[in-house]
Amino acid sequence: MGQALNVGELKVLVVEDHGFQRRMALRMLAELGVEQVWEAADGAAALGVLHGMPALPDLVLVDLDMPGMDGVEFIGHIAERHLAKGVALVSAMDQGLLNAVQSMARAHGLRVLGSIEKPLSLAKLRNLFDALGERHPGSEDEVPVDVSREEMREALLHDQLVAWFQPQAECTNGKVVAVEALVRWRRPDGHVVRPGNFIHLLERDGHGQRLTDTMLAQACRWKRRWEDDHGLRLQVSVNVSAAALAEPGAADHYHALVRDLGVEPADLVLEITEGSLVSDAARGLGVLARLRLKGFGLAIDDFGTGYSSLAQLSQIPFTELKIDQDFVSGAGNDPRKRAVIEASLDLARKLQLEVVAEGVESPEDWQLLAELGCGFAQGYLIGAAVPGEDLPGAISRWRRPAA
Ligand code: C2E
Ligand code: CA
Ligand code: CA
């Protein structure tokens, strides 16, 4: 599904050390109608250019192999500091390395439009622009929006951060048994904004705990309504900010919060990303152990994209492992992805964890997971995230693919 992409309004930065190749790239971009182009010859210079730009660039074309600060380090900076809306890698390197860099960038919430093998050509650039204007059927609008800290503060104060819910289905029979709560910002003008545009601002300004509180409370209220009004019993997963685990009293706090709303901790799963564990392992561990003691389920989110060691994994009382979507969508015809899924399932079996595969987009993905013995699937095939009132309808419309 294409959506009108106004190439003339795009801001593009080209980072390439090779002078001739850089000039070629600029010429091709001009030929395609891109009018606002910046350039830099290495990573350090590119960071300088980024800071001087009037707005975030829509696209940064990065050569991976550069002297000085290479493309991998540069993308790390962009991803961590949210300096661009999207990146594309240009390289003569092998696909394994390109995959690694893409996963790293995605783990930071940076949109990766793909990788281009050198030499660059007009056709390859055109494909990239197509990807920039494309959205997945059933998915929401992913057009990046500029968000200010002030707007986010207002959003928190005025209850504009709302929980939407995405179904999870059992792979053996297709039954929807759980949902994940995903935050959306409902702007006063009615526009709905996805978390990739604002989570980092909330967390940077120390609102991680408030976000977790409001999401958990909304999850509990909706869970009761689906049960009372529709007879739907669903387990609900909530994403937890690292900051929300830093307080020593966090376990008691969350226990009291959900109990007051009439929900048992055992009907909830708290999702924690690998990244947030690494940052504060020791303190987080105690809080996690206590949450588990109180009966909360604990999921390790985005498994496969972070840097946690197996030793660390086995120390934390997780109950569930969520295989990152990078490894799931399209796994049917990618032996690398399939290998990661198989290894994750094996590990989960040994540690006695439930497994949820994220990013299940096609009947082929579904079939593969069922064959490999994965427990649960989540993704656009089953349904995208929807407001709480729309969930029962979305669940009843879903049919699992015929075997
Ligand atoms: P996540 O926890 O990995 O959530 C899954 C993301 O993948 C969601 O994006 C979901 O809409 C999207 N998705 C679902 N199915 C598919 C699919 O089949 N294909 C693809 N390509 N994507 C799919 P969303 O809602 O934009 O959330 C992005 C991230 O923001 C989440 O990733 C999570 O890390 C973070 N986030 C969302 N809600 C919260 C929250 O309440 N608190 C915190 N701390 N983080 C949140
Ligand atoms: Ca999650
Ligand atoms: Ca995830």
Side-chain angles (χ1 to χ4, degrees), residues 136-272:
H136 190 279
S139 74
E140 300 159 66
D141 217 331
E142 276 218 69
V143 182
V145 222
D146 290 317
V147 177
S148 72
R149 315 165 67 164
E150 189 47 36
E151 279 177 309
M152 277 342 289
R153 224 175 56 84
E154 289 284 304
L156 256 179
L157 287 175
H158 297 110
D159 297 323
Q160 294 167 7
L161 296 180
V162 293
W164 283 26
F165 300 90
Q166 183 176 35
Q168 299 176 347
E170 221 169 304
C171 293
T172 49
N173 58 20
K175 191 166 186 262
V176 172
V177 289
V179 292
E180 176 177 359
L182 294 160
V183 66
R184 296 291 180 267
W185 174 30
R186 204 160 43 204
R187 276 194 332 208
D189 66 3
H191 193 96
V192 173
V193 182
R194 287 182 64 164
N197 298 291
F198 59 83
I199 285 277
H200 60 285
L201 287 178
L202 285 174
E203 300 201 325
R204 194 199 295 160
D205 286 351
H207 301 311
Q209 168 145 29
R210 277 195 74 164
L211 170 68
T212 307
D213 284 5
T214 171
M215 291 298 288
L216 202 54
Q218 294 183 55
C220 290
R221 292 198 188 96
W222 276 111
K223 180 183 160 48
R224 303 262 333 242
R225 275 185 62 179
W226 297 319
E227 209 162 310
D228 295 348
D229 300 354
H230 301 269
L232 269 174
R233 274 200 61 106
L234 297 167
Q235 191 181 56
V236 187
S237 297
V238 174
N239 293 283
V240 173
S241 294
L245 299 173
E247 294 288 324
D252 292 316
H253 170 72
Y254 290 121
H255 191 197
L257 192 157
V258 308
R259 201 185 39 211
D260 288 350
L261 292 168
V263 173
E264 291 296 322
D267 287 331
L268 297 166
V269 175
L270 306 177
E271 298 195 3
I272 297 128

Side-chain angles (χ1 to χ4, degrees), residues 363-402:
E364 292 75 30
D365 297 342
W366 173 275
Q367 229 72 59
L368 176 70
L369 291 163
E371 256 172 56
L372 295 178
C374 179
F376 305 90
Q378 178 181 346
Y380 296 149
L381 175 73
I382 301 137
V386 293
E389 59 268 29
D390 298 341
L391 185 78
I395 291 179
S396 66
R397 279 190 297 276
W398 144 250
R399 296 278 173 278
R400 80 173 146 145

Side-chain angles (χ1 to χ4, degrees), residues 327-338 341 362 364-365 368:
F327 306 111
V328 175
S329 50
N333 36 37
D334 186 335
R336 247 173 223 287
K337 293 185 178 179
R338 188 188 161 122
I341 296 179
S362 68
E364 292 75 30
D365 297 342
L368 176 70

Side-chain angles (χ1 to χ4, degrees), residues 203 239-246 271-285 288 299-302 306-308 312 316 318:
E203 300 201 325
N239 293 283
V240 173
S241 294
L245 299 173
E271 298 195 3
I272 297 128
T273 58
E274 287 190 82
S276 58
L277 287 177
V278 181
S279 59
D280 197 355
R283 191 149 33 146
L285 223 92
L288 289 173
I300 178 139
D301 202 357
D302 301 345
Y307 311 94
S308 63
Q312 202 177 13
I316 299 165
F318 284 116

